[in-house]
Amino acid sequence: MGAAEWAAQESEEWAGVSPDAARRLVSAAVEAFAERGYHATTTRDIAGRAGMSPAALYIHYKTKEELLYRISGIGHEKALHIMGAAAEAAGSATERLRDAVRTFARWHAEHHTTARVIQYELQALSDVHYAEIADLRRRTDRLLRQIIQDGADSGEFRVGDVPGTTLAVLSLCVDVARWFSADGPRTPDEVGALYADLVLRMVGAPPV
Amino acid sequence: MGAAEWAAQESEEWAGVSPDAARRLVSAAVEAFAERGYHATTTRDIAGRAGMSPAALYIHYKTKEELLYRISGIGHEKALHIMGAAAEAAGSATERLRDAVRTFARWHAEHHTTARVIQYELQALSDVHYAEIADLRRRTDRLLRQIIQDGADSGEFRVGDVPGTTLAVLSLCVDVARWFSADGPRTPDEVGALYADLVLRMVGAPPV
C-alpha cells in the first residue's frame, strides 16, 4: 500500500466527524500529538496544521483536551465495536477468537498513529473524560475475556489464567501500533493472520 | 511491594551513572519525560526536579537530547544484557526461552517508567544516536530469534514464521511497560512467569 493510500485510510477513520472543519482539526491534532506529544502541542499548532486560525478552532473545540477526548472516544468506540462484532458472531470460541484478534490487530496496524495517541496520552484526559474512556476499555476487555472463558468452558481451549491471558492478548494487539510501519515487510492483514494463529496457540486451541 | 521499594528499584537502575549529580539528573529526566513527554520538558524542568540550577545541569549534559540518549543507552544495554544472559546460558531452547521471556518481561514491569520513555521517545534521538540505539535493538532481537530458531531446528518448537514470532514475543514483553502498574494485581515476577508460559505455547513447545 502506498503512502497516499495510507493517508486516505488514516483520514477515513474521522469520516463521522462533522462539519468538515471539525474533522480537519481532529486529523491535524492526531498528527501533532503523535509527532510532539500532547503536552508539547498547542491549539495554535493544531489550527495551523489544519490551515485555520486559533479563533476558528475555538468554535469547534474549547480546549486541547476536548480534541484529545474526541479522538480517544472515536478510537475506543471503534475498538469496542470490533471486539463486539467478533464476540457476538455465530461460531465456536475458536472462530470468534480468531476473528477478534485478526481484526483488532489489523486495526492497530492500519490506524497506528491514532492508536499510539490514544494509548500513550490517556493520562492527559480530565478525570471525567478518563472515567468514560476507562469504561469503554473495560467493556472491550470483558468481551474478549468472555470469548476466552467460553472456549475454556467448552473445552476448546486450555487456559490456566483467563484474566492474565486476556490481558496478554489485548496487549499483544495494542502494541502493534508501536512497532508497525507502513514501510515494513508485513501488511496489516498479514499481521492480523499471524497474530490470530499465535493467540490460538496461547489459549491451547488444537492445531488446525 | 510498597511505593518506597518501587522508587528504590527505579533509582537503582541508574547506579552506574556518576557523579551523584549526573545520576540525579538522569533520574529526574526520566520522571519528567514520562509525565509530560520529551518535547514538553525543558532542561530547566529537569534541573528543578533534581534540585539543581540549569547551569549545574549544563556541566553534565549539554542538551536535553544528550540526557535522553544516556537514558536510552542504559536501558537498551540492560535489555540486551538480559537477552544475552538467557541466550548464552546452558540448557535447551525451551529453558533458554523461558528464562529470556521471564527476565525480559519482568524488567519491563519493574522499570516500566524508564521503558516507556525509551520506547516512546525513540524518534526524538539525533540520527547518530538513533543509529547506535537501533543497533542495540537489532542485537537483542537477533539473540531472541536465535533461541527460537534453535528450538525450531532441534524439533523442540513448531514455529511457522520465526521472524514474525520473534517480533510478537518482543512486542508482548515490551508492552508490559505500558499497562503495568505497581498498584495492579500482579507482581513483576508473576507477569514474568505467566508470559514465559504463554510464549512457550506460542512457539509450540510441548506442555509441561
Side-chain angles (χ1 to χ4, degrees), chain A residues 34-40 116 119-120 123 137 158-161 163-165 167-172 174-176 178-179 186 194-195 198-199 201-205 207, chain B residues 34-40 116 119-120 123 137 158-161 163-165 167-172 174-176 178-179 186 194-195 198-199 201-205 207:
Chain A
E35 270 180 44
R36 304 268 306 164
Y38 175 82
H39 293 289
R116 281 179 207 167
Q119 294 295 339
Y120 305 160
Q123 64 187 5
R137 292 169 76 88
R158 291 173 298 105
V159 182
D161 175 350
T165 304
L167 172 66
V169 172
L170 283 170
S171 170
L172 187 67
V174 165
D175 196 51
V176 169
R178 180 181 57 81
W179 61 257
R186 292 164 209 278
L194 170 67
Y195 273 41
L198 292 173
V199 166
R201 287 171 165 223
M202 283 167 73
V203 299
Chain B
E35 269 180 42
R36 304 268 306 164
Y38 175 82
H39 293 290
R116 281 179 207 167
Q119 293 296 338
Y120 304 160
Q123 63 185 6
R137 292 169 75 89
R158 290 172 300 104
V159 182
D161 175 351
T165 303
L167 173 65
V169 173
L170 282 170
S171 170
L172 187 67
V174 165
D175 196 51
V176 169
R178 181 183 56 82
W179 61 258
R186 292 163 209 280
L194 170 67
Y195 273 41
L198 292 173
V199 166
R201 287 171 166 224
M202 284 167 73
V203 298

Side-chain angles (χ1 to χ4, degrees), chain B residues 38-39 64-73 76 117-118 121-134 137:
Chain B
Y38 175 82
H39 293 290
K64 183 172 69 161
E65 194 272 342
E66 211 180 287
L67 265 161
L68 178 64
Y69 167 61
R70 186 77 202 265
I71 291 162
S72 193
H76 280 94
V117 168
I118 71 177
E121 303 289 7
L122 273 179
Q123 63 185 6
L125 291 170
S126 71
D127 289 349
V128 172
H129 288 161
Y130 178 78
E132 251 183 67
I133 298 295
R137 292 169 75 89

Side-chain angles (χ1 to χ4, degrees), chain A residues 7 15 18 20-22 45 66 73 80 84 86 89 102 110 119 131 138 143-144 159 161 173-174 178 186 191 206:
Chain A
S18 72
D20 180 63
D45 297 334
E66 213 179 285
L80 175 60
R102 194 172 46 208
E110 283 170 347
Q119 294 295 339
R138 270 191 300 270
L143 287 165
L144 178 64
V159 182
D161 175 350
C173 294
V174 165
R178 180 181 57 81
R186 292 164 209 278
V191 173

Side-chain angles (χ1 to χ4, degrees), chain A:
Chain A
M1 205 181 284
E5 281 168 274
W6 276 105
Q9 191 152 47
E10 283 275 348
S11 70
E12 184 189 288
E13 72 192 301
W14 311 119
V17 181
S18 72
D20 180 63
R23 185 165 57 249
R24 269 158 50 213
L25 287 166
V26 160
S27 183
V30 168
E31 272 178 39
F33 295 158
E35 270 180 44
R36 304 268 306 164
Y38 175 82
H39 293 289
T41 301
T42 64
T43 50
R44 180 173 292 272
D45 297 334
I46 297 166
R49 277 178 192 256
M52 291 164 60
S53 68
L57 179 146
Y58 189 73
I59 295 170
H60 301 284
Y61 300 99
K62 292 287 171 273
T63 63
K64 183 173 68 163
E65 194 273 340
E66 213 179 285
L67 266 161
L68 178 64
Y69 168 61
R70 188 75 201 268
I71 291 161
S72 192
I74 293 171
H76 280 93
E77 289 278 5
K78 183 66 189 172
L80 175 60
H81 176 80
I82 287 168
M83 200 58 88
E88 286 147 25
S92 65
T94 301
E95 286 162 345
R96 288 182 289 139
L97 184 58
R98 181 182 291 284
D99 191 37
V101 171
R102 194 172 46 208
T103 53
F104 203 67
R106 187 175 60 205
W107 188 82
H108 282 85
E110 283 170 347
H111 302 287
H112 53 98
T113 307
T114 301
R116 281 179 207 167
V117 168
I118 71 177
Q119 294 295 339
Y120 305 160
E121 303 290 7
L122 274 180
Q123 64 187 5
L125 292 169
S126 71
D127 288 349
V128 171
H129 288 161
Y130 179 79
E132 251 182 67
I133 298 295
D135 182 59
L136 294 172
R137 292 169 76 88
R138 270 191 300 270
R139 287 163 61 194
T140 304
D141 177 292
R142 265 203 301 270
L143 287 165
L144 178 64
R145 194 164 65 234
Q146 190 59 54
I147 302 174
I148 295 175
Q149 187 66 58
D150 288 349
D153 292 346
S154 71
E156 281 172 74
F157 303 157
R158 291 173 298 105
V159 182
D161 175 350
V162 170
T165 304
T166 303
L167 172 66
V169 172
L170 283 170
S171 170
L172 187 67
C173 294
V174 165
D175 196 51
V176 169
R178 180 181 57 81
W179 61 257
F180 185 81
S181 160
D183 307 324
R186 292 164 209 278
T187 66
D189 275 331
E190 287 165 351
V191 173
L194 170 67
Y195 273 41
D197 284 344
L198 292 173
V199 166
L200 288 176
R201 287 171 165 223
M202 283 167 73
V203 299
V208 283

Side-chain angles (χ1 to χ4, degrees), chain B residues 48-113:
Chain B
R49 278 179 192 255
M52 290 162 61
S53 68
L57 179 146
Y58 189 74
I59 295 170
H60 301 285
Y61 300 99
K62 291 287 173 274
T63 63
K64 183 172 69 161
E65 194 272 342
E66 211 180 287
L67 265 161
L68 178 64
Y69 167 61
R70 186 77 202 265
I71 291 162
S72 193
I74 292 171
H76 280 94
E77 290 277 6
K78 181 67 189 173
L80 176 60
H81 176 80
I82 287 169
M83 200 60 86
E88 286 146 27
S92 65
T94 301
E95 286 162 344
R96 287 182 290 138
L97 184 58
R98 182 183 290 283
D99 190 38
V101 171
R102 194 171 45 207
T103 52
F104 203 66
R106 187 175 60 204
W107 187 82
H108 282 85
E110 284 170 346
H111 302 287
H112 54 98
T113 306

